[in-house]
Amino acid sequence: MIATEESKKIQQQFAEKMDMDELLNCMRCGFCLPACPTYIETNFQEKHSPRGRIALMKAVADGMIEFDDDVEESLDLCLGCRACEPACPAGVNYGMLLEDARDIISQNKKHSVSVKAVRNTVFEGLFPHQNRMVNLTGLLGFYQRSGLQKTVRKIGFMKLFPENLAQMERVLPEVPKKNEMKERPDFLQANTVKTKTVAFFSGCLMDTMFMKTNDATLELLQMAGCDVVIPKSQGCCGALHGHSGEKAKAIELAKKNIAAFEDTNADYIVTNAGGCGGFLIGYDHLLADDFEWNERAKVFTQKLRDISQILYELDFHREYSLCLPGAIFTYQDSCHLRNVMHTAAAPRQLLNAITNAEFREMPEADRCCGSAGIYNIVEPEMSMQILDHKMEHVESVQPGIIVTANPGCLLQMKLGIERAGLQGKVEAFHIADVLLKAAKSEINPKR
Protein backbone atom coordinates (compact mmCIF):
# COMPACT_ATOMS: atom_id res chain seq x y z
CA MET A 1 0.00 0.00 0.00
CA ILE A 2 1.15 3.53 -0.76
CA ALA A 3 1.24 5.76 2.31
CA THR A 4 -0.54 9.15 2.26
CA GLU A 5 2.76 10.99 2.70
CA GLU A 6 4.29 9.14 -0.27
CA SER A 7 1.20 9.84 -2.37
CA LYS A 8 1.42 13.57 -1.65
CA LYS A 9 5.13 13.67 -2.55
CA ILE A 10 4.51 11.84 -5.82
CA GLN A 11 1.58 14.13 -6.69
CA GLN A 12 3.75 17.19 -6.02
CA GLN A 13 6.57 15.82 -8.17
CA PHE A 14 4.14 14.99 -10.98
CA ALA A 15 2.93 18.61 -10.90
CA GLU A 16 6.49 19.98 -10.92
CA LYS A 17 8.32 17.59 -13.23
CA MET A 18 5.91 16.02 -15.71
CA ASP A 19 5.81 17.69 -19.14
CA MET A 20 2.34 19.26 -19.07
CA ASP A 21 2.52 20.27 -22.73
CA GLU A 22 3.18 16.66 -23.70
CA LEU A 23 0.32 15.45 -21.48
CA LEU A 24 -2.00 18.00 -23.09
CA ASN A 25 -0.92 16.90 -26.58
CA CYS A 26 -2.98 13.73 -26.14
CA MET A 27 -6.29 14.41 -27.95
CA ARG A 28 -8.00 11.32 -26.46
CA CYS A 29 -8.79 10.23 -30.03
CA GLY A 30 -8.22 6.53 -29.34
CA PHE A 31 -6.00 5.76 -32.32
CA CYS A 32 -3.56 4.22 -29.85
CA LEU A 33 -6.06 1.69 -28.48
CA PRO A 34 -5.79 -1.03 -31.17
CA ALA A 35 -1.98 -0.80 -30.98
CA CYS A 36 -1.76 -1.38 -27.22
CA PRO A 37 -1.21 -5.02 -26.14
CA THR A 38 -2.28 -4.53 -22.51
CA TYR A 39 -5.48 -2.74 -23.51
CA ILE A 40 -6.39 -5.71 -25.68
CA GLU A 41 -5.24 -8.40 -23.24
CA THR A 42 -7.24 -6.85 -20.34
CA ASN A 43 -10.45 -6.91 -22.41
CA PHE A 44 -10.28 -3.25 -23.32
CA GLN A 45 -9.81 -1.66 -19.91
CA GLU A 46 -9.25 2.05 -20.49
CA LYS A 47 -6.82 2.40 -17.59
CA HIS A 48 -4.49 -0.06 -19.30
CA SER A 49 -4.36 1.91 -22.56
CA PRO A 50 -1.92 4.72 -23.46
CA ARG A 51 -4.76 7.23 -23.51
CA GLY A 52 -5.96 6.03 -20.11
CA ARG A 53 -2.49 6.10 -18.58
CA ILE A 54 -1.88 9.65 -19.84
CA ALA A 55 -5.22 10.68 -18.33
CA LEU A 56 -4.17 9.17 -15.00
CA MET A 57 -0.78 10.94 -15.10
CA LYS A 58 -2.48 14.29 -15.80
CA ALA A 59 -5.12 13.74 -13.13
CA VAL A 60 -2.40 13.07 -10.55
CA ALA A 61 -0.39 16.11 -11.71
CA ASP A 62 -3.52 18.31 -11.51
CA GLY A 63 -4.42 16.98 -8.06
CA MET A 64 -7.71 15.59 -9.34
CA ILE A 65 -6.92 12.12 -7.98
CA GLU A 66 -4.48 10.73 -5.45
CA PHE A 67 -1.60 8.57 -6.58
CA ASP A 68 -2.60 5.12 -5.31
CA ASP A 69 -2.05 1.43 -5.94
CA ASP A 70 -4.44 1.41 -8.91
CA VAL A 71 -2.51 4.16 -10.70
CA GLU A 72 0.79 2.43 -9.97
CA GLU A 73 -0.60 -0.90 -11.24
CA SER A 74 -1.67 0.74 -14.50
CA LEU A 75 1.80 2.22 -15.10
CA ASP A 76 3.58 -0.98 -14.02
CA LEU A 77 1.52 -3.12 -16.39
CA CYS A 78 2.60 -1.04 -19.39
CA LEU A 79 5.14 -2.92 -21.54
CA GLY A 80 6.76 0.29 -22.73
CA CYS A 81 6.63 -1.13 -26.26
CA ARG A 82 5.71 2.34 -27.61
CA ALA A 83 3.49 0.94 -30.35
CA CYS A 84 1.15 3.81 -29.48
CA GLU A 85 3.63 6.41 -30.75
CA PRO A 86 3.51 5.60 -34.51
CA ALA A 87 -0.29 5.31 -34.19
CA CYS A 88 -0.66 8.73 -32.56
CA PRO A 89 -1.68 11.53 -34.98
CA ALA A 90 -0.52 14.15 -32.46
CA GLY A 91 2.93 12.62 -32.07
CA VAL A 92 2.73 12.28 -28.28
CA ASN A 93 6.05 11.08 -26.86
CA TYR A 94 4.45 8.51 -24.58
CA GLY A 95 7.70 6.70 -23.81
CA MET A 96 9.22 9.86 -22.32
CA LEU A 97 6.11 10.46 -20.17
CA LEU A 98 6.15 6.89 -18.89
CA GLU A 99 9.84 7.00 -17.98
CA ASP A 100 9.47 10.34 -16.20
CA ALA A 101 6.47 9.04 -14.23
CA ARG A 102 8.26 5.87 -13.21
CA ASP A 103 11.32 7.86 -12.16
CA ILE A 104 9.22 10.12 -9.92
CA ILE A 105 7.50 7.11 -8.35
CA SER A 106 10.75 5.23 -7.77
CA GLN A 107 12.49 8.21 -6.16
CA ASN A 108 9.60 9.00 -3.79
CA LYS A 109 8.26 5.58 -2.86
CA LYS A 110 9.73 3.73 0.11
CA HIS A 111 10.92 0.34 -1.09
CA SER A 112 11.30 -2.61 1.26
CA VAL A 113 14.79 -3.61 2.34
CA SER A 114 14.76 -6.62 -0.02
CA VAL A 115 13.58 -4.58 -3.02
CA LYS A 116 16.22 -1.92 -2.30
CA ALA A 117 18.90 -4.60 -2.16
CA VAL A 118 17.83 -6.10 -5.49
CA ARG A 119 17.60 -2.71 -7.21
CA ASN A 120 21.01 -1.63 -5.90
CA THR A 121 22.57 -4.92 -6.98
CA VAL A 122 21.11 -4.79 -10.49
CA PHE A 123 21.19 -1.06 -11.28
CA GLU A 124 24.33 -0.01 -9.41
CA GLY A 125 26.37 -3.13 -8.81
CA LEU A 126 25.95 -5.17 -11.99
CA PHE A 127 24.89 -3.67 -15.32
CA PRO A 128 27.11 -0.54 -15.25
CA HIS A 129 30.19 -2.74 -14.73
CA GLN A 130 31.06 -4.90 -17.72
CA ASN A 131 33.70 -6.87 -15.80
CA ARG A 132 31.00 -7.97 -13.36
CA MET A 133 28.73 -8.95 -16.25
CA VAL A 134 31.60 -11.07 -17.56
CA ASN A 135 32.09 -12.71 -14.15
CA LEU A 136 28.38 -13.46 -13.75
CA THR A 137 28.13 -14.89 -17.26
CA GLY A 138 31.26 -16.93 -16.50
CA LEU A 139 29.45 -18.48 -13.53
CA LEU A 140 26.53 -19.31 -15.82
CA GLY A 141 28.99 -20.96 -18.21
CA PHE A 142 30.42 -23.03 -15.36
CA TYR A 143 26.88 -24.05 -14.41
CA GLN A 144 26.22 -25.16 -17.99
CA ARG A 145 29.49 -26.96 -18.69
CA SER A 146 30.31 -28.53 -15.32
CA GLY A 147 27.39 -30.93 -15.28
CA LEU A 148 25.65 -28.94 -12.55
CA GLN A 149 22.88 -27.91 -14.93
CA LYS A 150 22.10 -31.54 -15.77
CA THR A 151 22.08 -32.44 -12.09
CA VAL A 152 19.78 -29.54 -11.18
CA ARG A 153 17.34 -30.59 -13.88
CA LYS A 154 17.56 -34.28 -13.00
CA ILE A 155 16.69 -33.80 -9.33
CA GLY A 156 13.82 -31.48 -10.23
CA PHE A 157 15.23 -28.45 -8.42
CA MET A 158 13.77 -26.05 -10.98
CA LYS A 159 10.27 -27.19 -10.01
CA LEU A 160 10.68 -25.03 -6.92
CA PHE A 161 10.60 -21.94 -9.17
CA PRO A 162 7.63 -20.45 -11.05
CA GLU A 163 6.97 -22.25 -14.34
CA ASN A 164 8.05 -19.36 -16.56
CA LEU A 165 11.43 -19.04 -14.76
CA ALA A 166 12.02 -22.79 -14.99
CA GLN A 167 11.29 -22.60 -18.72
CA MET A 168 13.65 -19.62 -19.10
CA GLU A 169 16.44 -21.67 -17.57
CA ARG A 170 15.92 -24.28 -20.27
CA VAL A 171 16.18 -21.81 -23.15
CA LEU A 172 19.27 -19.87 -22.04
CA PRO A 173 21.95 -19.87 -24.75
CA GLU A 174 25.22 -21.70 -24.29
CA VAL A 175 27.45 -18.88 -23.10
CA PRO A 176 31.13 -18.36 -24.00
CA LYS A 177 34.02 -19.01 -21.64
CA LYS A 178 35.20 -16.21 -19.37
CA ASN A 179 38.53 -15.80 -21.19
CA GLU A 180 36.72 -15.42 -24.50
CA MET A 181 34.58 -12.59 -23.09
CA LYS A 182 37.68 -10.78 -21.84
CA GLU A 183 39.59 -11.02 -25.14
CA ARG A 184 37.41 -8.69 -27.20
CA PRO A 185 38.71 -6.68 -30.19
CA ASP A 186 38.74 -2.89 -30.32
CA PHE A 187 39.30 -2.61 -34.09
CA LEU A 188 38.58 -4.84 -37.08
CA GLN A 189 39.54 -4.07 -40.67
CA ALA A 190 37.20 -4.51 -43.62
CA ASN A 191 37.96 -7.77 -45.38
CA THR A 192 37.13 -6.25 -48.77
CA VAL A 193 37.28 -2.76 -50.30
CA LYS A 194 36.60 -0.29 -47.50
CA THR A 195 33.39 1.71 -47.90
CA LYS A 196 32.71 3.03 -44.40
CA THR A 197 34.13 3.32 -40.90
CA VAL A 198 31.58 2.30 -38.29
CA ALA A 199 31.68 2.21 -34.50
CA PHE A 200 30.00 -0.78 -32.89
CA PHE A 201 27.91 -0.55 -29.75
CA SER A 202 28.67 -3.93 -28.20
CA GLY A 203 26.29 -3.73 -25.25
CA CYS A 204 26.47 -5.55 -21.92
CA LEU A 205 24.35 -8.68 -22.41
CA MET A 206 25.17 -8.82 -26.11
CA ASP A 207 28.92 -8.96 -25.47
CA THR A 208 28.59 -11.64 -22.79
CA MET A 209 25.59 -13.97 -23.00
CA PHE A 210 25.09 -13.31 -26.73
CA MET A 211 28.73 -12.81 -27.69
CA LYS A 212 28.49 -15.17 -30.67
CA THR A 213 25.83 -12.92 -32.19
CA ASN A 214 28.11 -9.91 -31.66
CA ASP A 215 30.87 -11.82 -33.44
CA ALA A 216 28.51 -12.57 -36.33
CA THR A 217 27.56 -8.88 -36.49
CA LEU A 218 31.18 -7.77 -36.63
CA GLU A 219 31.94 -10.25 -39.39
CA LEU A 220 28.95 -9.05 -41.42
CA LEU A 221 30.18 -5.47 -41.13
CA GLN A 222 33.65 -6.49 -42.29
CA MET A 223 32.12 -8.36 -45.24
CA ALA A 224 30.12 -5.24 -46.09
CA GLY A 225 33.35 -3.24 -46.43
CA CYS A 226 33.43 -1.57 -43.02
CA ASP A 227 36.35 -0.86 -40.77
CA VAL A 228 34.91 -1.41 -37.31
CA VAL A 229 35.91 0.49 -34.17
CA ILE A 230 34.75 -0.94 -30.81
CA PRO A 231 35.39 1.66 -28.07
CA LYS A 232 36.67 0.06 -24.88
CA SER A 233 35.23 2.79 -22.66
CA GLN A 234 31.60 2.21 -23.69
CA GLY A 235 29.16 0.59 -21.29
CA CYS A 236 25.54 -0.37 -20.67
CA CYS A 237 23.09 1.73 -22.71
CA GLY A 238 21.00 2.52 -19.62
CA ALA A 239 17.71 1.20 -21.00
CA LEU A 240 17.01 -0.99 -18.01
CA HIS A 241 17.63 1.98 -15.71
CA GLY A 242 15.56 4.40 -17.77
CA HIS A 243 12.60 2.05 -17.97
CA SER A 244 12.71 1.22 -14.25
CA GLY A 245 12.75 4.64 -12.63
CA GLU A 246 16.52 5.12 -12.37
CA LYS A 247 16.81 8.14 -14.65
CA ALA A 248 19.85 9.68 -12.95
CA LYS A 249 21.89 6.53 -13.54
CA ALA A 250 20.63 6.32 -17.14
CA ILE A 251 21.87 9.88 -17.71
CA GLU A 252 25.27 8.99 -16.26
CA LEU A 253 25.57 5.98 -18.57
CA ALA A 254 24.41 8.03 -21.58
CA LYS A 255 27.15 10.60 -21.04
CA LYS A 256 29.73 7.84 -20.72
CA ASN A 257 28.68 6.30 -24.04
CA ILE A 258 28.47 9.59 -25.91
CA ALA A 259 32.01 10.45 -24.80
CA ALA A 260 33.24 6.96 -25.73
CA PHE A 261 32.06 7.26 -29.33
CA GLU A 262 32.94 10.89 -30.01
CA ASP A 263 36.58 10.21 -30.83
CA THR A 264 35.93 7.34 -33.26
CA ASN A 265 35.25 9.61 -36.27
CA ALA A 266 32.87 6.91 -37.47
CA ASP A 267 30.36 7.40 -40.27
CA TYR A 268 27.80 5.40 -38.30
CA ILE A 269 27.28 3.92 -34.86
CA VAL A 270 25.86 0.41 -35.25
CA THR A 271 23.82 -1.59 -32.75
CA ASN A 272 22.35 -5.09 -33.09
CA ALA A 273 19.91 -4.97 -30.16
CA GLY A 274 16.60 -3.25 -30.79
CA GLY A 275 16.07 -2.50 -27.10
CA CYS A 276 19.45 -0.83 -26.80
CA GLY A 277 19.00 1.06 -30.05
CA GLY A 278 15.61 2.37 -29.00
CA PHE A 279 17.12 3.84 -25.85
CA LEU A 280 20.35 5.08 -27.44
CA ILE A 281 18.43 7.03 -30.06
CA GLY A 282 16.59 8.82 -27.28
CA TYR A 283 19.71 10.17 -25.60
CA ASP A 284 18.87 13.68 -26.83
CA HIS A 285 15.51 13.52 -25.01
CA LEU A 286 17.15 12.04 -21.93
CA LEU A 287 19.62 14.94 -21.84
CA ALA A 288 17.19 17.64 -22.91
CA ASP A 289 17.83 19.73 -19.79
CA ASP A 290 21.60 19.85 -20.32
CA PHE A 291 22.41 22.07 -23.32
CA GLU A 292 26.03 20.91 -23.81
CA TRP A 293 25.24 17.20 -23.56
CA ASN A 294 22.02 17.56 -25.54
CA GLU A 295 24.00 18.91 -28.50
CA ARG A 296 26.54 16.09 -28.19
CA ALA A 297 23.69 13.59 -27.90
CA LYS A 298 22.13 14.84 -31.13
CA VAL A 299 25.36 14.14 -33.02
CA PHE A 300 25.45 10.66 -31.47
CA THR A 301 21.84 9.78 -32.30
CA GLN A 302 22.07 11.04 -35.88
CA LYS A 303 24.76 8.43 -36.57
CA LEU A 304 22.89 5.52 -35.00
CA ARG A 305 21.83 2.61 -37.22
CA ASP A 306 20.64 -0.93 -36.61
CA ILE A 307 22.74 -3.68 -38.19
CA SER A 308 19.92 -4.58 -40.60
CA GLN A 309 19.56 -0.97 -41.78
CA ILE A 310 23.28 -0.45 -42.38
CA LEU A 311 23.62 -3.76 -44.25
CA TYR A 312 20.66 -2.86 -46.43
CA GLU A 313 22.04 0.64 -47.13
CA LEU A 314 25.39 -0.90 -48.11
CA ASP A 315 23.67 -3.37 -50.50
CA PHE A 316 24.95 -6.39 -48.61
CA HIS A 317 22.07 -8.48 -49.98
CA ARG A 318 23.10 -7.61 -53.53
CA GLU A 319 26.85 -7.95 -53.07
CA TYR A 320 26.58 -11.46 -51.63
CA SER A 321 24.61 -14.47 -52.76
CA LEU A 322 22.52 -15.34 -49.72
CA CYS A 323 21.23 -18.90 -49.63
CA LEU A 324 19.67 -21.23 -47.05
CA PRO A 325 18.12 -24.18 -48.87
CA GLY A 326 14.71 -25.21 -47.54
CA ALA A 327 14.51 -22.59 -44.77
CA ILE A 328 11.09 -21.14 -43.93
CA PHE A 329 11.34 -17.85 -41.99
CA THR A 330 9.03 -15.57 -40.14
CA TYR A 331 10.07 -12.33 -38.45
CA GLN A 332 9.13 -10.97 -35.03
CA ASP A 333 9.67 -7.21 -34.80
CA SER A 334 11.62 -5.79 -31.91
CA CYS A 335 9.20 -3.15 -30.57
CA HIS A 336 11.81 -0.46 -30.04
CA LEU A 337 13.52 -1.19 -33.35
CA ARG A 338 10.23 -0.73 -35.17
CA ASN A 339 8.45 1.90 -33.09
CA VAL A 340 11.40 4.07 -31.99
CA MET A 341 14.16 3.49 -34.56
CA HIS A 342 11.55 3.10 -37.32
CA THR A 343 13.34 0.10 -38.80
CA ALA A 344 10.94 -2.53 -40.08
CA ALA A 345 11.48 -2.84 -43.84
CA ALA A 346 15.24 -3.48 -43.87
CA PRO A 347 15.25 -6.78 -41.94
CA ARG A 348 12.42 -8.11 -44.07
CA GLN A 349 14.13 -7.09 -47.30
CA LEU A 350 17.32 -8.84 -46.21
CA LEU A 351 15.46 -12.02 -45.30
CA ASN A 352 13.51 -11.92 -48.56
CA ALA A 353 16.83 -11.76 -50.43
CA ILE A 354 17.84 -15.22 -49.15
CA THR A 355 17.38 -17.65 -52.03
CA ASN A 356 16.08 -21.23 -51.87
CA ALA A 357 14.16 -20.13 -48.79
CA GLU A 358 10.70 -18.76 -48.04
CA PHE A 359 9.70 -15.76 -45.95
CA ARG A 360 6.25 -15.86 -44.40
CA GLU A 361 4.89 -12.71 -42.76
CA MET A 362 3.39 -13.47 -39.37
CA PRO A 363 0.04 -11.88 -38.41
CA GLU A 364 0.62 -9.04 -35.93
CA ALA A 365 4.40 -9.42 -36.14
CA ASP A 366 4.60 -5.81 -34.98
CA ARG A 367 2.89 -6.55 -31.65
CA CYS A 368 5.05 -6.98 -28.54
CA CYS A 369 6.07 -10.53 -27.63
CA GLY A 370 5.86 -9.77 -23.90
CA SER A 371 9.58 -9.71 -23.14
CA ALA A 372 10.01 -5.95 -22.64
CA GLY A 373 13.28 -5.98 -20.71
CA ILE A 374 12.54 -7.62 -17.37
CA TYR A 375 8.74 -7.42 -17.81
CA ASN A 376 8.51 -11.22 -18.22
CA ILE A 377 9.99 -11.52 -14.72
CA VAL A 378 8.13 -8.75 -12.88
CA GLU A 379 4.80 -9.17 -14.72
CA PRO A 380 4.89 -12.89 -15.63
CA GLU A 381 1.13 -13.44 -15.95
CA MET A 382 0.56 -10.73 -18.54
CA SER A 383 3.84 -11.51 -20.29
CA MET A 384 2.95 -15.18 -20.76
CA GLN A 385 -0.58 -14.30 -21.86
CA ILE A 386 0.84 -12.06 -24.58
CA LEU A 387 3.44 -14.67 -25.53
CA ASP A 388 0.90 -17.48 -25.85
CA HIS A 389 -1.17 -15.37 -28.24
CA LYS A 390 2.01 -14.55 -30.16
CA MET A 391 2.75 -18.24 -30.59
CA GLU A 392 -0.72 -18.78 -32.05
CA HIS A 393 0.29 -16.35 -34.80
CA VAL A 394 3.61 -18.15 -35.22
CA GLU A 395 1.88 -21.50 -35.65
CA SER A 396 -0.51 -20.02 -38.22
CA VAL A 397 2.38 -19.53 -40.70
CA GLN A 398 4.25 -22.75 -39.77
CA PRO A 399 7.84 -21.48 -39.98
CA GLY A 400 10.95 -23.47 -39.27
CA ILE A 401 12.79 -20.36 -38.04
CA ILE A 402 11.64 -17.31 -36.08
CA VAL A 403 14.01 -14.40 -36.69
CA THR A 404 14.32 -11.57 -34.17
CA ALA A 405 16.52 -8.50 -33.73
CA ASN A 406 16.82 -8.17 -29.96
CA PRO A 407 18.18 -10.49 -27.24
CA GLY A 408 15.10 -10.19 -25.02
CA CYS A 409 12.82 -11.01 -27.95
CA LEU A 410 15.07 -13.94 -28.86
CA LEU A 411 14.84 -15.48 -25.38
CA GLN A 412 11.09 -14.81 -25.28
CA MET A 413 10.53 -16.55 -28.62
CA LYS A 414 12.62 -19.51 -27.45
CA LEU A 415 10.43 -19.57 -24.36
CA GLY A 416 7.35 -19.44 -26.57
CA ILE A 417 8.61 -22.43 -28.58
CA GLU A 418 9.06 -24.31 -25.29
CA ARG A 419 5.59 -23.39 -24.01
CA ALA A 420 3.94 -24.30 -27.32
CA GLY A 421 5.68 -27.70 -27.48
CA LEU A 422 7.37 -26.83 -30.79
CA GLN A 423 10.87 -27.99 -29.83
CA GLY A 424 12.53 -29.71 -32.76
CA LYS A 425 10.06 -28.12 -35.20
CA VAL A 426 10.80 -24.41 -34.81
CA GLU A 427 13.99 -22.55 -33.84
CA ALA A 428 14.64 -18.89 -33.02
CA PHE A 429 17.71 -16.92 -34.15
CA HIS A 430 19.00 -13.37 -34.20
CA ILE A 431 18.97 -11.90 -37.71
CA ALA A 432 22.76 -11.42 -37.67
CA ASP A 433 23.31 -15.16 -37.15
CA VAL A 434 20.88 -16.00 -39.96
CA LEU A 435 22.45 -13.56 -42.44
CA LEU A 436 26.00 -14.71 -41.74
CA LYS A 437 25.02 -18.33 -42.23
CA ALA A 438 23.23 -17.43 -45.47
CA ALA A 439 26.21 -15.43 -46.74
CA LYS A 440 28.64 -18.23 -46.01
CA SER A 441 26.53 -20.87 -47.71
CA GLU A 442 27.83 -19.60 -51.05
CA ILE A 443 31.61 -19.89 -51.45
CA ASN A 444 32.01 -17.05 -53.91
CA PRO A 445 30.41 -13.65 -53.23
CA LYS A 446 29.25 -11.56 -56.17
CA ARG A 447 32.04 -9.01 -55.66
Side-chain angles (χ1 to χ4, degrees):
M1 295 289 292
I2 297 171
T4 302
E5 184 181 344
E6 291 176 0
S7 179
K8 288 181 179 178
K9 285 183 178 179
I10 291 170
Q11 188 276 323
Q12 182 181 358
Q13 291 289 299
F14 265 53
E16 293 176 359
K17 294 186 176 181
M18 293 297 293
D19 188 330
M20 296 304 294
D21 289 337
E22 199 68 51
L23 288 172
L24 288 168
N25 277 342
C26 177
M27 303 183 297
R28 314 291 191 264
C29 66
F31 276 78
C32 61
L33 300 181
C36 179
T38 54
Y39 175 72
I40 294 167
E41 295 292 342
T42 57
N43 293 316
F44 315 113
Q45 290 187 39
E46 182 72 21
K47 69 176 182 178
H48 294 313
S49 72
R51 179 176 70 178
R53 290 182 176 111
I54 289 174
L56 289 174
M57 293 179 206
K58 188 173 186 305
V60 171
D62 290 342
M64 299 295 293
I65 63 172
E66 290 187 358
F67 181 85
D68 58 15
D69 292 333
D70 287 340
V71 177
E72 185 174 28
E73 178 199 13
S74 173
L75 298 181
D76 284 347
L77 201 64
C78 180
L79 291 146
C81 69
R82 298 173 68 171
C84 51
E85 292 185 13
C88 178
V92 175
N93 193 332
Y94 173 83
M96 181 185 70
L97 291 172
L98 179 67
E99 287 176 5
D100 286 347
R102 286 177 171 174
D103 181 58
I104 292 169
I105 295 164
S106 176
Q107 301 312 313
N108 291 279
K109 181 181 176 181
K110 292 181 180 177
H111 296 292
S112 66
V113 174
S114 59
V115 170
K116 278 184 180 179
V118 170
R119 290 181 71 91
N120 285 338
T121 299
V122 172
F123 298 129
E124 293 286 343
L126 182 59
F127 277 87
H129 307 280
Q130 190 64 7
N131 61 323
R132 297 176 189 176
M133 293 291 292
V134 169
N135 290 336
L136 182 63
T137 307
L139 289 175
L140 175 59
F142 173 79
Y143 168 73
Q144 291 177 332
R145 288 185 287 269
S146 65
L148 184 58
Q149 184 178 52
K150 291 181 180 179
T151 302
V152 165
R153 292 177 178 177
K154 187 175 182 180
I155 65 175
F157 181 73
M158 293 306 298
K159 291 180 181 178
L160 299 175
F161 293 84
E163 182 185 3
N164 67 306
L165 290 181
Q167 289 173 331
M168 284 182 192
E169 188 273 342
R170 292 198 291 272
V171 302
L172 288 174
E174 183 178 335
V175 302
K177 295 178 181 178
K178 188 174 178 179
N179 287 341
E180 294 175 322
M181 290 182 281
K182 287 186 173 182
E183 297 170 356
R184 303 300 288 150
D186 55 16
F187 177 79
L188 293 169
Q189 194 170 11
N191 59 14
T192 182
V193 178
K194 177 188 170 183
T195 56
K196 299 287 181 182
T197 296
V198 302
F200 180 58
F201 184 83
S202 53
C204 45
L205 274 179
M206 288 303 300
D207 218 39
T208 50
M209 188 178 292
F210 297 93
M211 193 186 81
K212 292 180 181 177
T213 298
N214 264 8
D215 289 341
T217 303
L218 292 170
E219 189 169 353
L220 287 168
L221 289 169
Q222 288 177 281
M223 292 172 70
C226 297
D227 280 354
V228 188
V229 182
I230 309 104
K232 288 290 187 183
S233 56
Q234 65 177 296
C236 173
C237 68
L240 185 61
H241 302 79
H243 301 329
S244 303
E246 298 287 338
K247 188 175 181 179
K249 191 64 179 181
I251 288 173
E252 179 185 325
L253 292 169
K255 290 179 178 179
K256 178 181 178 180
N257 284 321
I258 292 168
F261 281 85
E262 281 178 328
D263 294 332
T264 62
N265 296 316
D267 299 302
Y268 299 107
I269 298 169
V270 179
T271 176
N272 62 358
C276 294
F279 197 73
L280 293 167
I281 208 165
Y283 274 1
D284 53 340
H285 286 293
L286 186 66
L287 296 162
D289 296 331
D290 187 322
F291 177 77
E292 178 193 349
W293 281 99
N294 178 257
E295 292 301 308
R296 293 166 73 175
K298 286 177 181 177
V299 176
F300 178 94
T301 59
Q302 286 167 3
K303 290 185 176 184
L304 198 67
R305 298 286 191 281
D306 180 70
I307 180 61
S308 62
Q309 187 64 44
I310 195 69
L311 290 177
Y312 180 74
E313 289 178 8
L314 295 177
D315 283 334
F316 181 83
H317 55 305
R318 294 188 177 94
E319 296 293 335
Y320 285 86
S321 295
L322 306 179
C323 180
L324 279 179
I328 301 174
F329 304 108
T330 196
Y331 180 71
Q332 166 61 26
D333 284 283
S334 157
C335 293
H336 286 178
L337 181 60
R338 183 184 184 100
N339 300 326
V340 185
M341 293 189 75
H342 308 298
T343 300
R348 287 171 168 82
Q349 288 163 328
L350 292 169
L351 292 172
N352 270 308
I354 300 175
T355 60
N356 294 326
E358 181 182 354
F359 178 77
R360 296 177 181 174
E361 185 70 37
M362 182 201 318
E364 298 184 7
D366 58 343
R367 181 159 293 169
C368 185
C369 65
S371 172
I374 58 171
Y375 187 92
N376 53 9
I377 297 174
V378 297
E379 298 287 347
E381 184 177 348
M382 178 57 71
S383 175
M384 294 304 104
Q385 185 175 323
I386 291 170
L387 176 59
D388 290 342
H389 287 160
K390 174 66 65 177
M391 294 311 297
E392 291 173 6
H393 293 315
V394 169
E395 291 188 75
S396 73
V397 295
Q398 297 184 320
I401 297 173
I402 305 170
V403 182
T404 73
N406 184 59
C409 301
L410 179 58
L411 286 179
Q412 186 81 338
M413 298 316 298
K414 287 178 179 287
L415 182 58
I417 291 168
E418 182 86 12
R419 288 174 64 86
L422 295 174
Q423 307 95 317
K425 298 178 182 177
V426 183
E427 296 179 280
F429 293 102
H430 191 283
I431 190 169
D433 297 305
V434 171
L435 291 174
L436 184 62
K437 186 175 181 181
K440 286 190 168 184
S441 69
E442 290 286 329
I443 297 174
N444 296 312
K446 289 181 180 178
R447 287 186 183 276

